[in-house]
Structures are given as structure tokens and as C-alpha cells.
């Protein structure tokens, strides 16, 4: 099969579009013919390499996968050949205390397609049966691939971690990012007032189309000053962070008393400073969030199928242009997801 493979860490140039052996499935697994695979910042981190983490090589990236079931192992009962499916991106043991409690994203053996196992930047991918989910509603393969990781992450941040309530004010950073474009929609659907940031007028316009009540141009305006102005100096109840170093101080300064900052990433760097006087004096809460549970993914997909939430696709490209797609994502020019088609 054709696949994008890398055997070393580095820039986009380490990605090779080449011929590799089709994956072999075991009795409990499913072989999926990939029709669409969406990129995430995780792809960039894994390609670059992370200190202390050994990625199995040669490696295939790609966490957000949609396609058709090509083959099933003899122990597979629920999934049928020919079904149009998407794959839950998180893979867990399914047996430990965390998994049994429905917190599969806290499983010690938790990983993600394209992280510790091969992902969807290929014509075929193997998957545990539990990860295979029928595509909801009348979604295309491209739309189905654009949903899972970012909507799951945004849902878990807002509800699982920050316990968002109707009527609260939410600041969503990076409206053009996958998590940002999902968080705007989810927070709005939950009855929150949404303030979103982006770095261009075109992106701010799209953020408003997704439901943002107010927008801040982070290149021209100071985020926390604008938040104070928009909230009559009170600040927001919840900040959705995933940018990291570049925005951390402004995110903290944007919080109302007793506000919650929830973060799922650090795309501009992970060294953040914290003024402890603000943390205790204003009774702030900082919450880490990583992916979300399978149950939360099903909740998101129900609303996606009803078109109450929608996939945001910047563009689609042939899988052969995967390295170019990585460059685009690194330049942060996109609004929403970049989807590859094998
Ligand atoms: Zn487990």
C-alpha cells in the first residue's frame, strides 16, 4: 500500500510517500481502507520528536481517520465489511480501573493513532474493534475525519474539566485552530457567551460565523485588555488554552475571580510562569486536559450527526502532499482542519 512514512525525527522533509506492506490484523482487529485523515498538532510533535519519548520507527502518522471497513478478524462481531466508519483516536486497554470507570483517556496504556501505533496517513490502517464507530448522519469521509480529536478534546476541556455552565463567559484562544473552532461551537451550543481570538480579520469573521459573540485580533489588540473591556472589567469564567507560552500570561490575566483555565496543549512552547499570589488571591483553577473519554466522543458525534456542531475543514489535499500539509499547519495559516485523501 501507499503510505507516508518517517524513519527519523525532523522537519517535513523526513516524511516519505512510499510503498509499504499492508498492515496485518489479529482476530480482534479491523482493517480500514482510509478515505480521509486529518492532521493535528500532535503530528508535528511526533514528527519532531519529544524528549524522553521513543516513537516506534518506521512510523506512520495520522490520528483522525475515516474510511471503509476492508476486513475484520474472526472475533469481530459488531463491525461489518463495507461499513463507512471513523476511528476513535484514543486506544486504551479497556480493562483497567480507569477504563472500567469510563475514563479511558486516563488509562496507563492509553495511546493515539499515529502516536505509539501506526496512524492513518496510509491506504490502510489496523484498529481495535472498539475504536470503530459508524459515521454519523450524512457526513462525508472528509467531515468525519475532521471531527474526532479536536471535538473530543474541546468537549472534555469544557465539560469534563471546566464544568462549563450556561451563561458563563468563555475565552477561546486560536479560533482558527482545530480545538478553537470546535470549542467556539460547543461553548455556544451550551449557552455560554464566547469571546474568540485570531490573528487575521478573515479568521475573526469565520469565528463569528461559528458562533463567537465577540472577537479579538491578537496581532493588533491586547487579549486581556480586550477581555476586561468586553466583560466590564470582570474577566471570563473559563479560558480555553492550547497555545502555551505566547498567550499564557494574557490568559491568566483574563480570568475572573474564581475563573478556570483549562489547557490541552502548548503549541508555542511549554515554559509558563505563574504568579502564585494571583492563583490563591483570586481563587483561580488551572486544569490540564488530555483527549476525552469514548463516551464523550459518542456525545459529540450525536450532535455532529444532527449538524448542531459541524466539522471545519480548511482544505483537502492528496496524501502524497502530506509534507506540504505539515508546512501549512506549522505556518498557522489555516482555519480548521487540513484533511488528506489517500
Ligand atoms: Zn485501561
Amino acid at each position: 500500500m501507499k503510505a507516508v512514512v518517517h524513519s527519523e525525527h525532523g522537519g517535513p522533509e523526513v516524511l516519505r510517500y512510499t510503498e509499504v506492506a499492508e498492515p496485518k490484523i489479529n482476530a480482534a482487529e479491523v482493517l480500514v481502507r482510509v478515505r480521509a485523515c486529518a492532521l493535528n498538532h500532535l503530528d508535528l510533535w511526533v514528527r519532531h520528536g519529544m524528549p524522553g519519548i521513543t516513537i516506534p520507527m518506521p512510523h506512520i502518522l495520522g490520528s483522525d481517520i475515516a474510511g471503509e471497513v476492508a476486513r475484520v478478524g474472526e472475533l469481530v462481531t459488531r463491525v461489518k465489511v463495507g461499513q463507512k466508519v471513523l476511528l476513535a483516536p484514543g486506544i486504551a486497554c479497556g480493562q483497567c480501573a480507569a477504563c472500567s470507570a469510563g475514563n479511558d483517556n486516563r488509562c496507563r496504556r492509553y495511546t493515539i493513532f499515529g502516536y505509539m501505533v501506526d496512524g492513518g496517513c496510509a491506504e490502510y490502517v489496523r484498529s481495535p474493534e472498539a475504536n470503530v464507530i459508524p459515521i454519523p448522519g450524512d457526513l462525508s469521509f472528509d467531515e468525519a475525519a475532521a471531527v474526532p480529536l479536536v471535538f473530543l478534546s474541546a468537549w472534555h476541556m469544557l465539560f469534563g474539566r471546566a464544568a462549563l455552565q450556561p451563561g458563563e463567559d468563555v475565552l477561546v484562544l486560536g479560533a482558527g485552530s482545530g480545538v478553537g473552532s470546535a470549542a467556539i461551537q460547543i461553548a455556544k451550543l451550551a449557552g455560554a457567551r464566547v469571546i474568540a481570538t485570531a490573528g487575521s480579520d478573515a479568521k475573526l469573521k469565520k469565528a463569528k460565523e461559528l458562533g463567537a459573540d465577540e472577537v479579538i485580533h491578537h496581532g493588533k489588540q491586547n487579549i486581556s485588555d480586550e477581555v476586561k473591556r468586553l466583560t466590564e472589567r470582570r474577566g471570563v469564567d473559563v479560558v480555553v488554552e492550547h497555545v502555551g507560552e505566547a498567550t499564557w500570561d494574557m490568559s491568566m490575566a483574563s480570568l475572573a475571580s474564581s475563573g478556570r483555565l483549562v489547557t490541552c496543549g502548548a503549541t508555542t512552547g511549554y515554559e509558563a510562569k505563574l504568579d502564585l499570589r494571583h492563583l490563591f488571591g483570586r481563587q483561580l483553577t488551572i486544569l490540564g486536559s488530555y483527549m476525552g473519554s469514548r463516551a464523550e466522543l459518542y456525545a459529540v458525534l450525536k450532535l455532529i450527526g444532527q449538524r448542531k456542531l459541524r466539522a471545519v475543514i480548511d482544505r483537502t489535499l492528496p496524501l502524497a502532499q502530506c509534507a506540504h500539509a505539515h508546512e501549512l499547519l506549522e505556518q498557522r495559516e489555516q482555519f480548521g482542519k487540513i484533511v488528506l485523501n489517500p
Side-chain angles (χ1 to χ4, degrees):
M1 67 169 184
K2 288 285 189 200
V4 174
V5 180
H6 65 119
S7 302
E8 55 184 324
H9 292 296
E13 71 281 355
V14 300
L15 301 172
R16 289 176 298 116
Y17 182 64
T18 185
E19 195 75 32
V20 296
E22 209 176 281
K24 297 223 181 336
I25 56 168
N26 69 31
E29 289 181 327
V30 173
L31 187 71
V32 173
R33 170 77 169 94
V34 181
R35 296 295 181 190
C37 182
L39 290 190
N40 291 283
H41 268 275
L42 179 65
D43 298 63
L44 306 183
W45 290 112
V46 175
R47 193 202 70 218
H48 272 297
M50 293 165 283
I53 295 173
T54 306
I55 303 293
M57 296 282 185
H59 186 253
I60 299 174
L61 294 164
S63 310
D64 273 329
I65 303 160
E68 289 149 320
V69 175
R71 200 178 303 149
V72 298
E74 60 261 35
L75 296 179
V76 170
T77 55
R78 181 177 56 83
V79 175
K80 307 288 179 233
V81 170
Q83 248 182 330
K84 293 179 176 178
V85 297
L86 59 86
L87 300 182
I91 301 170
C93 82
Q95 298 174 357
C96 68
C99 285
S100 302
N103 299 318
D104 49 288
N105 58 327
R106 296 180 195 171
C107 175
R108 287 186 66 183
R109 290 172 62 190
Y110 190 79
T111 191
I112 302 171
F113 282 106
Y115 188 23
M116 286 299 164
V117 298
D118 278 342
C121 285
E123 285 182 296
Y124 292 91
V125 64
R126 58 191 271 251
S127 170
E129 182 181 15
N131 284 69
V132 182
I133 299 175
I135 290 178
D138 58 355
L139 258 64
S140 66
F141 288 123
D142 290 341
E143 289 175 303
V147 167
L149 194 143
V150 291
F151 274 89
L152 175 59
S153 298
W155 185 280
H156 187 61
M157 290 171 87
L158 288 168
F159 300 136
R161 303 295 284 145
L164 179 68
Q165 299 296 313
E168 288 194 311
D169 290 340
V170 180
L171 173 66
V172 176
L173 294 177
S177 69
V179 166
S181 57
I184 290 171
Q185 295 182 65
I186 293 169
K188 186 68 185 173
L189 190 63
R193 174 177 180 238
V194 180
I195 303 170
T197 77
S200 76
D201 292 331
K203 286 184 179 182
L204 294 176
K205 184 166 174 283
K206 287 181 181 171
K208 283 211 155 179
E209 286 164 12
L210 288 179
D213 297 285
E214 306 287 350
V215 291
I216 298 171
H217 190 310
H218 64 61
K220 295 179 184 168
Q221 295 172 298
N222 177 292
I223 294 174
S224 48
D225 287 351
E226 278 302 299
V227 165
K228 290 282 162 60
R229 187 181 69 77
L230 292 166
T231 57
E232 290 161 351
R233 304 215 59 77
R234 180 179 170 270
V236 294
D237 302 287
V238 174
V239 175
V240 173
E241 244 295 346
H242 51 95
V243 181
E245 260 180 52
T247 52
W248 182 265
D249 291 344
M250 283 182 287
S251 294
M252 290 298 289
S254 298
L255 285 169
S257 180
S258 300
R260 295 96 77 197
L261 183 152
V262 58
T263 178
C264 74
T267 51
T268 61
Y270 45 77
E271 302 272 6
K273 272 205 198 107
L274 184 60
D275 186 329
L276 292 173
R277 296 167 301 179
H278 291 167
L279 186 70
F280 64 73
R282 292 164 54 217
Q283 306 199 59
L284 306 178
T285 304
I286 298 173
L287 298 155
S289 189
Y290 186 61
M291 300 294 285
S293 72
R294 192 75 52 78
E296 289 175 311
L297 180 59
Y298 277 105
V300 168
L301 290 174
K302 187 174 175 186
L303 293 164
I304 290 277
Q306 295 168 355
R307 302 262 179 201
K308 288 177 180 164
L309 298 171
R310 65 181 179 89
V312 182
I313 297 173
D314 177 79
R315 73 189 79 187
T316 58
L317 290 169
L319 178 62
Q321 292 184 33
C322 184
H324 176 54
H326 275 233
E327 288 167 4
L328 291 172
L329 188 57
E330 263 166 350
Q331 290 158 9
R332 299 169 205 285
E333 293 297 323
Q334 86 289 353
F335 192 96
K337 306 296 287 177
I338 299 173
V339 180
L340 300 172
N341 299 124

